[in-house]
Structure formats: structure tokens, C-alpha cells
Amino acid sequence: MKNIIIVAGFLAFGGGAFAQDIPKADPATVEKYVQSMWSKASPEWQARVKLDETQRICSETSNTPSQAQFDAILAREKANVTYPADGNVMGDWKRGMVVAQRGTGGQFSDAPGTYQGGNCFACHELTKEEVSYGTLGPSLLGYGKIRKFEPAEAKAAFAKIYNPHAVFPCSQMPRFGHTKFLTEEQIKDAVALLFSPDSPVNK
Amino acid sequence: MKRLSVAILATAIGFGAAGIALGQSESEKEIERYREMINDPMANPGYLWVDKGEALWSEKRGSKSASLETCDLGKGPGNVEGAFAEMPRYFADADRVMDLEQRLLWCMDKIQGVDTADVVKRRFGGPGVESDLQALVAFIANKSNGMSYKLPLAHAKEQEMLSVGKALFDRRAGQMDFACATCHAEEGKRIRLQGLPDFSKPGKEARMTMDSWPTYRVSQSQLRTMQHRLWDCYRQMRHPVPEYGSDGITALTSYLVKMAEGGEINVPSIKR
């Protein structure tokens, strides 16, 4: 039965077709390819590329979850945001600049213990001085100033950096806190970069 | 003289990597210069690999002391013309869909009796490491110049490859939740100052990219193939080392080739 559907799909998939016309692969088949692609990786590395429920839905829907899936992701990811115990979400903006500039860490070519950065500049414009910024995410120029340096907004930014799906399901931004790629300290420093009145972000 | 200009370019680009950003027009000029060098075998170092690949193709090697000249790349034994433009494809003798590099390994093993473990160990050339596969791919891909990609899809396994390739393109995983689509699914996006081609749909960006691989990477002084490019993208994605010649890479290649149909292959190209 399934085979018939696939063949029919391919017949419709003619010359100048669109990527979305490619018939969907059975997820179990996809995972077999995934396993063979990383069959020689260590167990820790293999564990890193197993899908959690949020990744699975965002992958299978090409980041366009249904309303029910959207709501489920939001609820699940919100529940795992852990705020600092003392309620203070602001660290040191100068250290936050290091977090934002550095994109090292976590690659198979990195030596163990390599500093892990947030690489915010890879995707965001943050300051007027840094012209080497990417455009996958929106400009964050003047981010805190525009939000009148409101403590509630700073707290929301902490949550956003900790887990962007807790705000916008299937966001393209990494879940820096949830996956422990950044420490709580580093996330506080990044919040300070966005919300300190003397940070170059707000100049 | 022209070789010299390549060396100078390499130096200029080295500085770029060290943090001095080239202005937009500067990098466009650089791309234009590469474009001019592509078709001139004297100026394009990629042709050193083409020549070496041609020699390797006809050299008797392995326990069977045979050349690759009877290897069937899909267009009949020994026929290299246009073969690359129609890969990955299904091969009945192996009962598998293979990209060019998988197929070459298969032929080396079955026809020549060459130790493919050693060949795979040298898959990516570097200082002191000569890659047979990079040379063979350069030679064979070059024989599809002027042609368009046409992904064979008659066999069910070819259809599965393409469908899985699309799924892998969208598959988000790892500590960064990255998929290929994170970086390659919208036009006009960039990481830092690096432009990111959009492969989420068939069209110009997919064509311009795939029509120019394999390529001579000036920054690495090596001829690189799609296996190396995807290895590097998985590295940036914080994924494990993808196994060379594994079906996942072939599936992604099928997908990229499908998106790139309708252009004109011109390889080896030159890229930063």
C-alpha cells in the first residue's frame, strides 16, 4: 500500500518540480541511514544525533509544525528553562561579548576542553562596530534600549537564549541552555550584553 | 606566471581568514578572477588532479593487476563521458545506489583487488597525503563538462535515496539543533560574511554550487569533492564524523543533484 503511494508520488514528480514534491521518506528508513552514516562514532557522539521529540517534529515538518504540535513544543520546552536560583539574569557584558564573538567548541575537530562560544554574531547583528555578522537571525542592535532595559524583558531574553523553542517553536536558533552548550554564567553574560546600558549593543 | 597569481590569491585569502574582512566588491572581484581561471588548465591547479586521475584510471594496480578501464560508471564499462552527471545511480551488480566515490571504491575492490582501506585512509589529501579518489573524481567529473545533471530515478532504490536525502537535509540534531536547512533554506542569507546558497528548492543557487564541484580549494591547496564538503558541513553542525562513502552522504548528494538539474557542469572550479 505504502509502495503504491510512493510510486504515484514519483510519477507526479516531473522535471521542474519543487523540493516539497519529493515524496516523504519513512522516518524509520531515514534513521537507518543515520545509523550507518555514524556507525563508527563513539556512543556519546551517536547519542548527540538521536532526535528528541522537538527535533523530530521540527525535522519532519520542515519547521512548520501543526497548531497542536506547536502548542506541545511550547509547553515542553518552557518547562525545561531553568532560571538562575537567585533570580538575577544579568552577568557581565564584556564577557558576554566573548560569548557572542566566539564560535569554537563542540566540533569533532576541536580538542577536548575547547571553549564553547555562542557565536551570536554568526547569525545576528549586535553592534555598529562589528561588520562581520550573519543574517540568519534578526538584528539585535539596541535590543535592551528599545525594551527600556525592563527587567522582565531581560528575563525573557534569558529564556530565549536558554531555549528559543520555549518562545517560538521550531526556531532556527540553538537551545544553548537546554543542551548545556553554554553555562548559566555565559547566558547571563549574553543577557548583559543585550541589556546593559553601557554595552555597545545599546550605543 | 598564472600559477604565481594563484599563490598570491591564496595569501590574500589567508589574511581574510585572519579577520580582515574583504568588502563585498572585493570578494566579487575575487570570484570573477576564479571564473576566468577555471577554463584555463594552465591557471587552474585543479587540472593537476584531472591529469593524475586520468593516469590512475588506466594504471594497472592491485592484486589483479588491472586498470579501472572496465569499471562501469553507469554508461557502460570504461565509459566516463557524462557518467558523473547521472550519479548517484543504481548499479545492478552491487544492488545499491552509489555516488561516484562509492562506485570507484567498488571497482577498485572488485576489478583491481586494491586495498580500499588504504585508499579510504587517504580520501582527503593534505600535506604529505595524496588522495587517489580526489584525482579520479576530478578526471571523471571533468568528462561531464558542458552537460546538465540528470538524476536517475527509475529504480525504487534511487527514489528512496532522493526521499531520504530530502529528509536528512531537514533533519535537526546535535547540541545546536542544526540541519542543512538551518543554513541553506533561504536566499540571500549569510553566516558572518559568508554567503549561504539556498538548496531548499531547485534553481540557480543549487545549480551554481553543484555545477562547480569538485573544486580546487585555494585555502586548502587541494582538489575537494562533495564528500569533503559535506564532511565539513557536518563538522560545523557539531555532528559526528560522517563515514566516508556512507549511504547518508549519497542520499544528500542525490538530493542536491536533483535540485541542481538544468545547469551546466564546469569542473574542476576554483574556490576560496
Side-chain angles (χ1 to χ4, degrees):
Chain A
M1 185 56 208
K2 218 187 219 161
N3 270 344
I4 296 173
I5 297 170
I6 292 179
V7 170
F10 267 97
L11 291 179
F13 184 65
F18 296 101
Q20 57 266 32
D21 297 336
I22 296 173
K24 272 218 177 341
D26 167 29
T29 307
V30 177
E31 292 315 301
K32 272 192 220 142
Y33 280 70
V34 167
Q35 276 161 24
S36 75
M37 189 157 39
W38 289 303
S39 60
K40 289 187 188 145
S42 69
E44 302 101 276
W45 273 105
Q46 288 189 358
R48 282 193 200 175
V49 285
K50 291 226 169 71
L51 301 183
D52 70 18
E53 191 55 15
T54 296
Q55 289 171 328
R56 190 182 67 77
I57 291 168
C58 297
S59 300
E60 288 177 12
T61 65
S62 305
N63 297 319
T64 52
S66 69
Q67 189 61 50
Q69 290 169 326
F70 185 98
D71 295 342
I73 294 173
L74 201 59
R76 178 171 52 243
E77 301 296 328
K78 251 191 182 142
N80 72 42
V81 176
T82 310
Y83 294 95
D86 65 0
N88 176 22
V89 296
M90 293 269 279
D92 171 350
W93 75 258
K94 286 188 179 135
R95 284 200 311 250
M97 184 60 93
V98 178
V99 173
Q101 282 284 8
R102 292 183 64 179
T104 54
Q107 302 185 347
F108 59 64
S109 51
D110 284 325
T114 300
Y115 176 87
Q116 303 202 159
N119 210 7
C120 318
F121 279 104
C123 299
H124 296 287
E125 178 182 25
L126 285 137
T127 67
K128 291 199 187 99
E129 299 81 67
E130 182 54 270
V131 296
S132 175
Y133 62 83
T135 57
L136 288 170
S139 171
L140 303 176
L141 212 54
Y143 198 79
K145 194 174 173 185
I146 291 164
R147 286 162 182 75
K148 308 211 160 49
F149 304 111
E150 285 280 351
E153 294 280 3
K155 196 178 168 209
F158 182 93
K160 180 78 197 176
I161 302 165
Y162 194 98
N163 189 338
H165 298 253
V167 183
F168 176 47
C170 295
S171 166
Q172 304 274 22
M173 183 165 141
R175 293 174 290 180
F176 289 111
H178 178 55
T179 64
K180 300 199 163 54
F181 196 83
L182 296 181
T183 63
E184 179 180 289
E185 214 49 48
Q186 285 177 303
I187 297 174
K188 284 168 66 175
D189 294 340
V191 172
L193 180 68
L194 297 178
F195 278 90
S196 293
D198 48 353
S199 157
V201 168
N202 297 310
K203 294 289 175 198
Chain B
M1 186 54 213
K2 276 195 175 149
R3 280 273 150 71
L4 189 63
S5 66
V6 174
I8 291 168
L9 266 173
T11 316
I13 286 144
F15 278 118
I20 301 167
L22 296 170
Q24 195 61 32
S25 62
E26 233 359 81
S27 57
E28 271 163 19
K29 263 187 246 157
E30 175 190 310
I31 291 169
E32 195 43 49
R33 267 201 303 267
Y34 289 164
R35 222 167 261 148
E36 283 164 16
M37 287 152 75
I38 290 172
N39 296 316
D40 180 352
M42 292 307 289
N44 179 349
Y47 277 87
L48 297 174
W49 277 262
V50 174
D51 293 346
K52 191 176 154 227
E54 184 166 21
L56 268 176
W57 179 255
S58 55
E59 187 185 323
K60 289 191 170 63
R61 298 202 304 165
S63 61
K64 299 180 183 167
S65 184
S67 79
L68 284 167
E69 286 161 319
T70 58
C71 176
D72 186 352
L73 300 174
K75 311 287 273 180
N79 197 353
V80 291
E81 298 292 327
F84 179 71
E86 295 177 18
M87 293 180 98
R89 72 151 68 228
Y90 175 78
F91 290 93
D93 53 8
D95 191 27
R96 276 177 73 192
V97 176
M98 295 170 157
D99 76 344
L100 174 55
E101 287 163 79
Q102 286 175 314
R103 187 61 182 170
L104 283 167
L105 288 172
W106 196 90
C107 286
M108 285 178 186
D109 176 45
K110 299 282 186 266
I111 298 174
Q112 297 184 296
V114 156
D115 173 12
T116 53
D118 168 61
V119 173
V120 169
K121 212 159 78 197
R122 293 180 287 111
R123 64 200 179 280
F124 302 145
V129 181
E130 290 236 3
S131 166
D132 297 349
L133 287 155
Q134 287 175 176
L136 284 162
V137 169
F139 163 60
I140 293 157
N142 176 256
K143 296 284 185 201
S144 285
N145 274 2
M147 300 175 198
S148 290
Y149 284 110
K150 184 84 191 89
L151 186 72
L153 280 176
H155 198 280
K157 290 195 177 178
E158 292 168 339
Q159 297 168 11
E160 179 181 298
M161 267 296 167
L162 176 60
S163 286
V164 171
K166 161 75 173 135
L168 288 176
F169 187 79
D170 285 336
R171 188 179 187 276
R172 301 183 62 176
Q175 282 182 300
M176 292 289 204
D177 297 324
F178 282 157
C180 314
T182 308
C183 296
H184 297 292
E186 256 187 278
E187 267 178 52
K189 293 288 175 183
R190 52 175 222 245
I191 276 213
R192 290 279 183 166
L193 292 178
Q194 192 71 68
L196 296 165
D198 175 7
F199 305 133
S200 69
K201 54 179 188 293
K204 189 165 160 257
E205 298 197 359
R207 279 182 213 134
M208 281 177 60
T209 298
M210 298 306 284
D211 286 342
S212 59
W213 278 84
T215 187
Y216 177 77
R217 297 290 310 261
V218 175
S219 56
Q220 303 172 15
S221 308
Q222 284 288 325
L223 184 292
R224 293 302 189 196
T225 72
M226 202 32 63
Q227 291 277 345
H228 186 272
R229 182 60 252 183
L230 298 186
W231 172 87
D232 206 12
C233 281
Y234 271 126
R235 187 173 64 84
Q236 293 183 52
M237 287 164 77
R238 275 76 178 174
H239 279 46
V241 180
E243 199 148 329
Y244 184 85
S246 62
D247 289 341
I249 300 290
T250 303
L252 280 167
T253 304
S254 289
Y255 170 75
L256 293 170
V257 163
K258 185 69 198 165
M259 295 302 103
E261 285 180 350
E264 191 181 315
I265 297 168
N266 190 8
V267 294
S269 71
I270 306 180
K271 288 176 199 261
R272 169 182 27 86

